[in-house]
Amino acid sequence: MAARSEAPGSAPAGDNAGGSRRHAGNGNKKLKYISLAILVVQNASLILSIRYVRTLPGDRFLSTTAVVLAEVLKVLTCLLLILVQKRGSVREFVGLLYDAIVVQYMDTLKLAVPSLIYTLQNNLQYVAISNLPAATFQVTYQLKILTT
């Protein structure tokens, strides 16, 4: 058998490692654009639908109820994803939650301040949507990206 001389760390001749990395990079790029498009549609439809239901005549729902229900839905979704990540092992799932919430309670308390501010922001968002045209609200709401 003839021995090949290759530089250390280089891929063997005929190995298409570089090509597969480029292909994976294209897949990641495609996923980024798909995610961006979904987020744009989601944000635009959220603002328009909230504006629509807040300007309908008749009884209005409480914005605090909508914010709390949205946050509960997010928590349930996250918990479900963690359970799936732990491959359905309830013991590992509960252990992870116990460690993250009870054992590392200082980290949990540190997150309480931003979460309360976020809740206040979401409640004020409903007030703003009720009083501003949708386009004006959307533009001013997106200004937070430039200012933070």
Side-chain angles (χ1 to χ4, degrees):
M1 287 192 140
R4 286 198 229 168
S5 63
E6 297 170 2
S10 68
D15 187 3
N16 197 9
S20 64
R21 270 185 260 149
R22 261 184 259 122
H23 182 66
N26 288 341
N28 287 339
K29 195 173 190 178
K30 191 175 189 180
L31 180 63
K32 288 178 187 177
Y33 287 123
I34 290 171
S35 299
L36 178 64
I38 289 171
L39 286 172
V40 166
V41 169
Q42 186 263 337
N43 282 328
S45 62
L46 174 70
I47 300 304
L48 293 174
S49 61
I50 292 173
R51 173 74 179 157
Y52 175 72
V53 297
R54 294 298 284 179
T55 57
L56 286 175
D59 292 339
R60 289 190 194 180
F61 58 89
L62 296 174
S63 61
T64 52
T65 304
V67 169
V68 168
L69 286 176
E71 295 307 314
V72 166
L73 183 62
K74 289 177 191 177
V75 167
L76 292 176
T77 303
C78 290
L79 291 175
L80 179 66
L81 290 174
I82 292 171
L83 185 62
V84 168
Q85 186 181 29
K86 295 296 178 187
R87 292 180 176 83
S89 172
V90 176
R91 179 174 291 214
E92 286 183 36
F93 173 72
V94 170
L96 177 73
L97 289 180
Y98 179 79
D99 181 57
I101 296 170
V102 177
V103 174
Q104 299 176 13
Y105 70 93
M106 285 305 292
D107 291 338
T108 304
L109 290 176
K110 289 177 188 174
L111 292 173
V113 174
S115 65
L116 291 173
I117 294 171
Y118 179 72
T119 302
L120 176 64
Q121 174 191 350
N122 283 343
N123 282 306
L124 292 175
Q125 179 179 342
Y126 277 91
V127 173
I129 289 174
S130 300
N131 296 308
L132 292 172
T136 305
F137 172 79
Q138 189 71 297
V139 169
T140 55
Y141 186 70
Q142 295 306 321
L143 281 175
K144 73 179 180 179
I145 296 171
L146 297 175
T147 59
T148 57

